[in-house]
Amino acid sequence: MKRLFEVRSPFFVPVWRRVVVVVLVFGWALIELSQGAPGWALLFAAAGAWCAWQFFFVFDQRPGGPNDPNGPG
């Protein structure tokens, strides 16, 4: 069974996809905050921070790495 939050996927190799996901999640946090729902805003802000960490600090797109669409080697 695949992990529910699998962000180390070849789908996310293009940087623009990772940027869009992070911006959307943080944007939704702002929407929730503007609507007076600080709990949901905090939840989405935490999810956005986690996505940003995974996509821009931990993500490995070296050739042959786990995110290489051409496979290892």
Side-chain angles (χ1 to χ4, degrees), residues 4 6 8 16-18 29 31 39 45 54-55 58 60-61 65-66 70:
L4 181 61
E6 182 62 57
R8 295 181 187 176
W16 71 268
R17 289 180 181 166
R18 292 181 271 156
I31 289 171
Q54 289 294 316
F55 286 151
V58 178
D60 181 16
Q61 62 183 45
N70 298 321

mmCIF file of all heavy atoms in Angstrom, residues 4 6 8 16-18 29 31 39 45 54-55 58 60-61 65-66 70:
data_model
loop_
_atom_site.group_PDB
_atom_site.id
_atom_site.type_symbol
_atom_site.label_atom_id
_atom_site.label_comp_id
_atom_site.label_asym_id
_atom_site.label_seq_id
_atom_site.Cartn_x
_atom_site.Cartn_y
_atom_site.Cartn_z
ATOM 1 N N LEU A 4 0.125 7.536 2.261
ATOM 2 C CA LEU A 4 -0.914 8.521 1.993
ATOM 3 C C LEU A 4 -0.334 9.853 1.507
ATOM 4 O O LEU A 4 -0.842 10.451 0.579
ATOM 5 C CB LEU A 4 -1.761 8.739 3.253
ATOM 6 C CG LEU A 4 -2.908 9.720 3.136
ATOM 7 C CD1 LEU A 4 -3.908 9.243 2.077
ATOM 8 C CD2 LEU A 4 -3.596 9.876 4.472
ATOM 9 N N GLU A 6 2.671 10.707 -0.055
ATOM 10 C CA GLU A 6 3.902 10.394 -0.782
ATOM 11 C C GLU A 6 4.315 11.601 -1.612
ATOM 12 O O GLU A 6 3.782 11.840 -2.689
ATOM 13 C CB GLU A 6 3.709 9.182 -1.675
ATOM 14 C CG GLU A 6 4.945 8.752 -2.425
ATOM 15 C CD GLU A 6 6.062 8.339 -1.494
ATOM 16 O OE1 GLU A 6 5.848 7.439 -0.687
ATOM 17 O OE2 GLU A 6 7.131 8.944 -1.571
ATOM 18 N N ARG A 8 7.650 12.220 -2.281
ATOM 19 C CA ARG A 8 8.887 11.879 -2.993
ATOM 20 C C ARG A 8 8.545 11.018 -4.191
ATOM 21 O O ARG A 8 8.923 9.863 -4.296
ATOM 22 C CB ARG A 8 9.842 11.162 -2.059
ATOM 23 C CG ARG A 8 10.302 12.041 -0.939
ATOM 24 C CD ARG A 8 11.260 11.328 -0.053
ATOM 25 N NE ARG A 8 11.548 12.142 1.108
ATOM 26 C CZ ARG A 8 12.294 11.749 2.099
ATOM 27 N NH1 ARG A 8 12.843 10.556 2.078
ATOM 28 N NH2 ARG A 8 12.512 12.533 3.120
ATOM 29 N N TRP A 16 8.003 23.590 -10.714
ATOM 30 C CA TRP A 16 6.766 24.374 -10.730
ATOM 31 C C TRP A 16 5.631 23.648 -10.021
ATOM 32 O O TRP A 16 4.796 24.281 -9.388
ATOM 33 C CB TRP A 16 6.376 24.762 -12.165
ATOM 34 C CG TRP A 16 5.890 23.642 -13.026
ATOM 35 C CD1 TRP A 16 6.641 22.868 -13.862
ATOM 36 C CD2 TRP A 16 4.550 23.167 -13.144
ATOM 37 N NE1 TRP A 16 5.843 21.941 -14.483
ATOM 38 C CE2 TRP A 16 4.554 22.104 -14.079
ATOM 39 C CE3 TRP A 16 3.344 23.535 -12.571
ATOM 40 C CZ2 TRP A 16 3.405 21.414 -14.424
ATOM 41 C CZ3 TRP A 16 2.199 22.843 -12.928
ATOM 42 C CH2 TRP A 16 2.226 21.800 -13.837
ATOM 43 N N ARG A 17 5.597 22.325 -10.094
ATOM 44 C CA ARG A 17 4.543 21.569 -9.408
ATOM 45 C C ARG A 17 4.698 21.675 -7.897
ATOM 46 O O ARG A 17 3.720 21.798 -7.166
ATOM 47 C CB ARG A 17 4.567 20.106 -9.826
ATOM 48 C CG ARG A 17 4.099 19.894 -11.237
ATOM 49 C CD ARG A 17 4.141 18.443 -11.618
ATOM 50 N NE ARG A 17 3.706 18.280 -13.009
ATOM 51 C CZ ARG A 17 3.886 17.180 -13.698
ATOM 52 N NH1 ARG A 17 4.470 16.130 -13.148
ATOM 53 N NH2 ARG A 17 3.478 17.118 -14.947
ATOM 54 N N ARG A 18 5.932 21.612 -7.431
ATOM 55 C CA ARG A 18 6.174 21.732 -5.996
ATOM 56 C C ARG A 18 5.829 23.128 -5.496
ATOM 57 O O ARG A 18 5.225 23.284 -4.433
ATOM 58 C CB ARG A 18 7.634 21.393 -5.688
ATOM 59 C CG ARG A 18 7.918 19.916 -5.934
ATOM 60 C CD ARG A 18 9.336 19.568 -5.605
ATOM 61 N NE ARG A 18 10.158 19.775 -6.802
ATOM 62 C CZ ARG A 18 11.443 20.010 -6.795
ATOM 63 N NH1 ARG A 18 12.100 20.092 -5.668
ATOM 64 N NH2 ARG A 18 12.097 20.158 -7.920
ATOM 65 N N ALA A 29 -4.518 28.324 3.862
ATOM 66 C CA ALA A 29 -4.372 28.714 5.267
ATOM 67 C C ALA A 29 -4.773 30.178 5.452
ATOM 68 O O ALA A 29 -5.465 30.526 6.417
ATOM 69 C CB ALA A 29 -2.942 28.493 5.735
ATOM 70 N N ILE A 31 -6.884 31.842 3.555
ATOM 71 C CA ILE A 31 -8.332 31.911 3.384
ATOM 72 C C ILE A 31 -9.029 31.511 4.679
ATOM 73 O O ILE A 31 -9.971 32.177 5.127
ATOM 74 C CB ILE A 31 -8.788 31.029 2.204
ATOM 75 C CG1 ILE A 31 -8.348 31.655 0.889
ATOM 76 C CG2 ILE A 31 -10.305 30.827 2.224
ATOM 77 C CD1 ILE A 31 -8.544 30.774 -0.326
ATOM 78 N N GLY A 39 -8.019 27.529 13.775
ATOM 79 C CA GLY A 39 -7.598 26.132 13.897
ATOM 80 C C GLY A 39 -7.279 25.512 12.547
ATOM 81 O O GLY A 39 -6.247 24.866 12.367
ATOM 82 N N ALA A 45 -1.365 25.765 7.547
ATOM 83 C CA ALA A 45 -0.035 26.380 7.591
ATOM 84 C C ALA A 45 1.014 25.332 7.949
ATOM 85 O O ALA A 45 2.110 25.318 7.377
ATOM 86 C CB ALA A 45 -0.010 27.528 8.587
ATOM 87 N N GLN A 54 9.677 19.232 2.739
ATOM 88 C CA GLN A 54 9.863 18.021 1.946
ATOM 89 C C GLN A 54 10.277 18.336 0.508
ATOM 90 O O GLN A 54 11.111 17.639 -0.062
ATOM 91 C CB GLN A 54 8.573 17.189 1.931
ATOM 92 C CG GLN A 54 8.252 16.539 3.242
ATOM 93 C CD GLN A 54 9.258 15.484 3.625
ATOM 94 O OE1 GLN A 54 9.676 14.668 2.811
ATOM 95 N NE2 GLN A 54 9.666 15.494 4.874
ATOM 96 N N PHE A 55 9.686 19.373 -0.081
ATOM 97 C CA PHE A 55 9.937 19.676 -1.489
ATOM 98 C C PHE A 55 11.238 20.428 -1.740
ATOM 99 O O PHE A 55 11.840 20.281 -2.798
ATOM 100 C CB PHE A 55 8.795 20.493 -2.067
ATOM 101 C CG PHE A 55 7.539 19.702 -2.322
ATOM 102 C CD1 PHE A 55 6.310 20.314 -2.256
ATOM 103 C CD2 PHE A 55 7.590 18.362 -2.634
ATOM 104 C CE1 PHE A 55 5.148 19.607 -2.505
ATOM 105 C CE2 PHE A 55 6.432 17.643 -2.885
ATOM 106 C CZ PHE A 55 5.213 18.267 -2.821
ATOM 107 N N VAL A 58 14.448 18.391 1.525
ATOM 108 C CA VAL A 58 14.678 16.958 1.607
ATOM 109 C C VAL A 58 14.616 16.299 0.234
ATOM 110 O O VAL A 58 15.259 15.283 0.011
ATOM 111 C CB VAL A 58 13.630 16.306 2.558
ATOM 112 C CG1 VAL A 58 13.814 14.810 2.636
ATOM 113 C CG2 VAL A 58 13.729 16.934 3.934
ATOM 114 N N ASP A 60 15.080 14.777 -3.246
ATOM 115 C CA ASP A 60 16.303 14.340 -3.919
ATOM 116 C C ASP A 60 15.981 14.041 -5.378
ATOM 117 O O ASP A 60 15.271 13.096 -5.680
ATOM 118 C CB ASP A 60 16.837 13.088 -3.230
ATOM 119 C CG ASP A 60 18.124 12.581 -3.855
ATOM 120 O OD1 ASP A 60 18.769 13.341 -4.606
ATOM 121 O OD2 ASP A 60 18.485 11.430 -3.592
ATOM 122 N N GLN A 61 16.491 14.858 -6.277
ATOM 123 C CA GLN A 61 16.223 14.616 -7.690
ATOM 124 C C GLN A 61 17.511 14.363 -8.461
ATOM 125 O O GLN A 61 17.594 14.616 -9.651
ATOM 126 C CB GLN A 61 15.431 15.761 -8.299
ATOM 127 C CG GLN A 61 16.136 17.097 -8.286
ATOM 128 C CD GLN A 61 15.243 18.175 -8.849
ATOM 129 O OE1 GLN A 61 14.084 18.260 -8.527
ATOM 130 N NE2 GLN A 61 15.787 18.992 -9.701
ATOM 131 N N GLY A 65 18.456 8.818 -8.358
ATOM 132 C CA GLY A 65 17.887 8.934 -7.015
ATOM 133 C C GLY A 65 16.456 8.396 -6.989
ATOM 134 O O GLY A 65 15.916 7.948 -7.998
ATOM 135 N N PRO A 66 15.821 8.431 -5.815
ATOM 136 C CA PRO A 66 14.485 7.859 -5.681
ATOM 137 C C PRO A 66 13.421 8.608 -6.483
ATOM 138 O O PRO A 66 12.354 8.062 -6.724
ATOM 139 C CB PRO A 66 14.212 7.960 -4.186
ATOM 140 C CG PRO A 66 15.138 8.999 -3.682
ATOM 141 C CD PRO A 66 16.334 8.971 -4.566
ATOM 142 N N ASN A 70 13.554 8.167 -14.726
ATOM 143 C CA ASN A 70 14.166 7.144 -15.571
ATOM 144 C C ASN A 70 14.649 5.942 -14.777
ATOM 145 O O ASN A 70 15.205 5.018 -15.343
ATOM 146 C CB ASN A 70 15.343 7.752 -16.350
ATOM 147 C CG ASN A 70 14.885 8.852 -17.254
ATOM 148 O OD1 ASN A 70 13.834 8.752 -17.866
ATOM 149 N ND2 ASN A 70 15.660 9.926 -17.307
#
